[in-house]
Amino acid sequence: MPEGFIAGEPMSGASFAQCFARCRADNRAALIPFLTCGYPDAPQSLELLQGMAGAGADIIELGIPFSDPLADGPTIQRSSFQALERGMTTEGTLDVLRAFRAGHDTPVVLFSYLNPILRYGVEEFARAAVEAGAQGLLLTDVPAGADPALESRLSAHGLDLIRLIAPTTSPERVAAIARAGAGFLYYISRTGVTGARTRLRRALGREVRAVQGRVGGIPVAVGFGISTPEQAADVAAAAEGVVVGSALIDHCEREGAEGVRDFVAALREAMERDGPDRSL
């Protein structure tokens, strides 16, 4: 346990199914903020996780920092490099999650590239992640079906493998990805890397609804480029979940933990107030 963390009796994280069922009952989409673990440092990461949960996050995506984050734009790359410079590791990420679980049951998806998991040990990582309190894992560089043996070794220990779908994914491939996924699907709102954007693509809502028609009821969350409460509300009108990453880290750089809490609260308020009545 990192210095300054207080160990306690861990809570059991809620399942993704429970989370999305609760959101459906409330007639809203799930809010899923992203944080690079170890940014700005380990104790502040824990503070940010706690603040996001308290401000209304339904699910949290917790990134394991990696030295070559190819799917990430400059903001998340910068946060990852800073976290590594300050000593954050895969094991340290699980320690932060374990400390968060001492007081919160918010479901957590671990976001990673494959190399850190291979270095840790695949089955050792899966067991340790579940023990620390993770409900799911998103591996950006392991497409569904690319390595069935590896995927089975990870999911055998209880981790839901969250799958990515892109605007360029064919309808047949969408259905295959959905069959291989669990928890929810992550629809990438545009091609390219992560990063805040000033506007959403006009076709996004239509694309999300087309994906929903092919995936057999598994929830679809949308991320990449969602930057404002208004955009989150627009996406929430079409999708079951809204992922916000780079814009949140931008707020952390400028305003610290309080700014992050305020931004998450503003996202949640906009989604509750406007989401059901807006459309893309």
Side-chain angles (χ1 to χ4, degrees):
M1 187 71 64
E3 183 179 353
F5 287 10
I6 299 174
E9 188 67 25
M11 301 180 70
S12 297
S15 70
F16 296 126
Q18 290 170 329
C19 173
F20 283 104
R22 184 168 59 245
C23 290
R24 283 193 296 271
D26 292 341
N27 193 33
R28 63 178 180 81
L31 174 58
I32 311 173
F34 169 89
L35 172 69
T36 301
C37 195
Y39 175 82
D41 57 30
Q44 290 183 82
S45 284
L46 177 58
E47 181 184 358
L48 288 167
L49 286 171
Q50 294 166 335
M52 290 190 295
D58 296 293
I59 296 169
I60 295 174
E61 189 178 339
L62 182 62
I64 298 173
F66 180 53
S67 58
D68 195 17
L70 296 177
D72 294 311
T75 298
I76 294 178
Q77 284 188 21
R78 192 164 59 248
S79 69
S80 192
F81 296 155
Q82 181 171 323
L84 291 171
E85 287 175 349
R86 297 188 177 181
M88 183 50 62
T89 62
T90 303
E91 185 174 3
T93 300
L94 299 181
D95 284 339
V96 171
L97 173 56
R98 195 174 292 109
F100 173 70
R101 276 283 169 258
H104 297 275
D105 68 351
T106 306
V108 171
V109 178
L110 292 171
F111 173 101
S112 184
Y113 295 83
L114 181 58
N115 275 6
I117 292 174
L118 291 177
R119 183 172 181 178
Y120 194 100
V122 173
E123 294 192 27
E124 293 83 355
F125 172 83
R127 282 193 294 267
V130 170
E131 185 275 330
Q135 282 66 50
L137 173 66
L138 197 165
L139 279 177
T140 57
D141 50 357
V142 181
D147 191 336
L150 170 71
E151 296 164 55
S152 294
R153 290 165 67 193
L154 289 166
S155 60
H157 294 278
L159 283 175
D160 284 346
L161 296 183
I162 310 302
R163 306 295 189 170
L164 293 165
I165 295 175
T168 54
T169 305
S170 70
E172 296 76 18
R173 177 65 176 160
V174 167
I177 290 171
R179 289 192 296 270
F184 63 94
L185 300 173
Y186 188 135
Y187 186 78
I188 300 170
S189 68
R190 55 181 174 74
T191 56
V193 297
T194 61
R197 292 293 187 272
T198 57
R199 64 180 61 186
L200 301 171
R201 293 185 304 108
R202 290 185 177 181
L204 180 58
R206 172 174 48 81
E207 292 170 358
V208 171
R209 287 186 283 273
V211 167
Q212 289 167 329
R214 299 186 180 107
V215 300
I218 185 171
V220 177
V222 175
F224 276 46
I226 300 169
S227 308
T228 67
E230 293 74 23
Q231 289 177 353
D234 285 340
V235 173
E240 288 94 346
V242 179
V243 184
V244 180
S246 294
L248 190 146
I249 291 175
D250 285 338
H251 276 270
C252 187
E253 288 181 342
R254 296 192 304 265
E255 304 163 24
E258 184 175 353
V260 169
R261 287 193 299 271
D262 290 346
F263 183 53
V264 171
L267 292 166
R268 175 67 178 265
E269 181 182 4
M271 290 166 62
E272 290 184 339
R273 182 183 65 242
D274 297 326
D277 299 319
R278 299 167 72 104
S279 60
L280 284 169

